[in-house]
Amino acid sequence: MSPSSEITLYRAHDKIVALPSGTGRRWAETALDLAGFTENHDRIHTLALDDQAQARQALKHLHQAARDCQVAVTTHPRPFLGDIAEAIALALPGHWRAAVEPLREQQDQHYLRDHLWETGTLHGLLQKDGLGFAATLRDGGGTELLLAERPSDGSYIVGALTPSPDYVRVTAPAPRSVIASDARLAARFIQTHLLPEYERAVHLSRLDEAEEDLRWAQVSEAGTYDTVDLEAALYRFRTHATAFIATLRETTPLPVEQAVFLDRVEDGLNLDGLDDPDPEALADAGAVWLIDGEELIEMARAATPPASVTPARPKALSTAALPLPAVAATAPGPRR
């Protein structure tokens, strides 16, 4: 009778990582427990290598327990993906964190696939192949990337996860995934190709959403719209305006009149108090939105680099915003 479950062993820099899988996964987990593997909060089983003799004994026990439980044991030929992800995170500028995503079932892969921005190679990989593990890379500012290993050749592919719709509704073409043979090259391609495309796509999506909300507010007559929808649209615009103004100041030599305009809009929109519920402040911000919003959008759109240019990643284009207030988080907004 062929085993209904399998244990795949991955060699990490200071431990052995085991991934149980298959319809009889509980038997595989039992074998790992009997052998002395430790299960962490992510349900990843590990065996420390600080005591080599003890580790060898545990592996011997694992193979014995696996035979008794009719579980197959295989060793993955490549380094543990978590180590690759950590190396990439350390090589990227800023403060990136890596997290391992165990893929025990095909539905785990499908969950990640559904959050990918690009429907290309990485999307197909998550749809068809049993990967074992994937890893996420997060910069703390809202940017999330997904790392996976391609079984066909052992190379690594990194793609962007779609930003949360609470931050921006993406409308721009997705940034393209990058493929590299090792962590060093992956970090370089992420920095020079993936992140600039990602930031440009987020910037264009912000512009589209800000323009759509402004047009809706301008043509809506008083009493014909829901107040909650209007406040949600204003909040989105103020959030996007924060990114537009910061980007314009950092990346564009501004004439004096434009610098004065940005100062006035920033003050009028009360961008330092995005979560301020004061009705008078919101009324003032709404007036500035309707009067000066179009010019701000035009300035931000004019400063958008062409697709062929890969500039340094401006901090102002982070997808993250301040936490959404209840009205913006729950309101459907003017989605027409």
Side-chain angles (χ1 to χ4, degrees), residues 7 9 21 31 72 119 160 176 178 197 228 239 250 255 259 274 281 308 327:
I7 296 172
L9 302 178
S21 59
T119 57
R176 294 164 293 181
V178 296
E197 285 192 19
V228 174
T239 300
E250 289 183 6
L274 273 175
S308 59
V327 60

Side-chain angles (χ1 to χ4, degrees), residues 152-171:
S152 59
D153 58 8
S155 62
Y156 302 103
I157 181 168
V158 186
L161 294 175
T162 305
S164 167
D166 288 343
Y167 297 139
V168 63
R169 180 171 55 89
V170 293
T171 52

Side-chain angles (χ1 to χ4, degrees), residues 113-134:
R113 179 201 65 193
D114 291 343
H115 286 80
L116 277 176
W117 196 342
E118 181 189 32
T119 57
T121 302
L122 183 53
H123 189 277
L125 195 65
L126 289 169
Q127 185 172 0
K128 298 177 181 178
D129 297 308
L131 298 180
F133 288 98

Side-chain angles (χ1 to χ4, degrees), residues 10 17 19 40-44 80-83 85 97-105 107-109 111-113 115 126 130-138 144-149 161:
Y10 300 79
V17 179
L19 180 72
N40 65 16
H41 66 281
D42 292 327
R43 297 182 62 195
I44 296 176
F80 178 51
L81 191 67
D83 288 353
R97 299 186 65 180
V100 175
E101 304 286 344
L103 305 176
R104 297 175 180 82
E105 307 288 350
Q107 64 188 24
D108 298 327
Q109 297 186 185
Y111 174 80
L112 290 175
R113 179 201 65 193
H115 286 80
L126 289 169
L131 298 180
F133 288 98
T136 53
L137 300 166
R138 298 181 173 92
E144 294 183 291
L145 309 178
L146 185 68
L147 165 69
E149 180 182 335
L161 294 175

Side-chain angles (χ1 to χ4, degrees), residues 7 26-38 45 47 57-69 71:
I7 296 172
R26 289 187 178 180
W27 287 109
E29 293 173 343
T30 298
L32 290 168
D33 292 338
L34 291 173
F37 277 68
T38 301
H45 295 76
L47 176 67
Q57 190 68 18
L59 289 173
K60 180 180 178 181
H61 289 163
L62 174 63
H63 285 278
Q64 292 174 344
R67 283 195 297 270
D68 294 340
C69 296
V71 175

